[in-house]
Amino acid sequence: MSSTLLEVTRASHEEVERLERLVVKDLQTEPPTNKDRLYQSHRVRNMIEQIMDTSHKLVDIYEDKDNARKDEIAALGGQSSTSANVNVFSAFYDRLKEIREYHRRHPASRYVDTTDEYEHLLKEEPVIEFTGEEAFGRYLDLHELYNEYINSKFGQQIEYSAYLDVFSDTRKISSKLKLNRQYQDYMQKLLEYLIYFFERTEPLQDLGRIFSKVVAEFEELWTSGLIQGSQNENNENGNVKQHEALIDLDYYSTVEQLTEVGPAKLKEALSALGLKTGGTVQQRAERLFLTKHIPLEKLDLKHFVKGSRRHEQNGGVTTQQPSEDEKEIALMEAKMKKMCDLLHETIVRTKENIEKKHALTYDEIVQEREEDEVQPESESDDEDQQIYNPLKLPMGWDGKPIPYWLYKLHGLGQEFKCEICGNHSYWGRRAYERHFKEWRHQHGMRCLGIPNTKNFNEITSIEEAKYLWEKIQVKQGLNKWRPDLEEEYEDQEGNIYNKKTYTDLQRQGLI
């Protein structure tokens, strides 16, 4: 019975319906923690994949390419593809005999209840692999890519926190370095990591649909020319936009003045124009100074790097056809920027976590990590074990609300706001006093350029902190040696002046 095609079809429809009900039931429950949310999303994703697989099987059955379903339906009506004269009643009783024989051999199949079999899917915890730095999907772990960035030709020697700000911005990297194989491998690894992280943290999102939209928009912009080739992006006067951003020749009237820019900037500007970058500083400046009065298309070919210029003209402007490598790199950059937009909150959270770690000691970092490991276990209890807390009192060391008298004694109902900490609220006098030594306040003072000393305790306003810092600087300046006022000079007549007065009288010819 269970082997018949119609029974398989019925069982498949039943399985799809049960899984759909389980998906709805699971999504109606609000997960209390981030870990439970990830478990729920992955459970739903697994059930959706089962629904899709079963649906594909049903489509194959209904297409009936081998006519098996058609023959089985015909057999139920007493017909057959081999013989048209088949007794309907004999076919019916043969079928009934087959069913009875099946249930006689398998008596338990008549009372099968698959409810529990499907309900256990709501309690399973899928295996999700995260590194320790990712903290179960809360932060990004870009240390490996950061090391590759700072050790590459296209990268810069910057801190990890600064790298989190610039890794999504590829406009500062020159076109020549982008065509390097090292940059292509780096961009490929970065895109693969962002996709892998997004699939683990947002399993219900359809990345295929997102990327198909990105590719469609990219192809439209590339065809219309709004996304330029990475080597020649000339303006109407034949000067390169990148060159204008590097050195503005209008500020220099001679070659000697241009040499003061330095060999590095001259080389970068010449490379952006496609000109030769060799020679002395004087030769580089002379070569670049030619472009101030002579358009690029009229320059002698000896000044250009071999293969950097094409003789085909497009409206009087020298152009170069973008290659397939340039298009592939530009498409990877477009996908990477889309992933950064989707993971914007995670990137900001990662940067805040790095800045927080810089202000913590090793013992504090270890203690915080231990608290993070213990916290999910206490939060993942069942709803029946939730503690009744109508006043929303803080939890004590035993996981229960503290007494109300203790809540009033410590003034935990009193709110203190600190503008330096980004208007963050602190509840209770003790937490407020302690926050002046914590990472958030230290980072805010560091951003203002003010040292976080005892003089600034109890000060939460940015204006008050700046005013006090200026006052301290003035007070410290009074105790310094000021040669203008305190250094003494004597003239021929024996009169004593300070340095400022003496130099003024000497300029006027009075001494």
Side-chain angles (χ1 to χ4, degrees), residues 109-127:
S109 61
R110 289 176 290 179
Y111 310 103
V112 173
D113 185 8
T114 58
T115 304
D116 295 337
E117 181 181 349
Y118 284 91
E119 288 292 336
H120 86 280
L121 295 174
L122 298 177
K123 299 178 182 179
E124 68 177 6
E125 295 182 355
V127 179

Side-chain angles (χ1 to χ4, degrees), residues 7-8 26 57-58 61 89 100 103 129 184 192 218 225 344 362 383 391 436 468-469 495:
E7 176 60 23
V8 171
D26 201 357
K57 293 178 182 178
L58 286 171
I61 292 174
F89 293 102
R100 286 177 175 175
H103 284 289
E129 295 182 356
Q184 297 180 26
E192 288 177 355
F218 173 81
H344 176 70
Y362 176 75
E383 295 181 359
L391 297 178
F436 288 103
L468 179 58
W469 176 235
N495 298 320

Side-chain angles (χ1 to χ4, degrees), residues 337-352:
K337 290 176 182 177
K338 182 62 177 178
M339 294 304 304
C340 290
D341 292 339
L342 296 174
L343 295 171
H344 176 70
E345 295 182 0
T346 307
I347 296 173
V348 173
R349 199 184 308 125
T350 304
K351 186 181 177 183
E352 291 177 353

Side-chain angles (χ1 to χ4, degrees), residues 487-501:
E487 191 174 357
E488 295 181 348
Y489 288 80
E490 184 178 354
D491 61 3
Q492 294 178 354
E493 299 177 359
N495 298 320
I496 305 246
Y497 305 98
N498 58 32
K499 182 180 180 180
K500 184 178 180 183
T501 306

Side-chain angles (χ1 to χ4, degrees), residues 379-386:
E379 291 181 352
S380 61
D381 294 336
D382 297 332
E383 295 181 359
D384 299 337
Q385 299 178 358
Q386 289 184 357

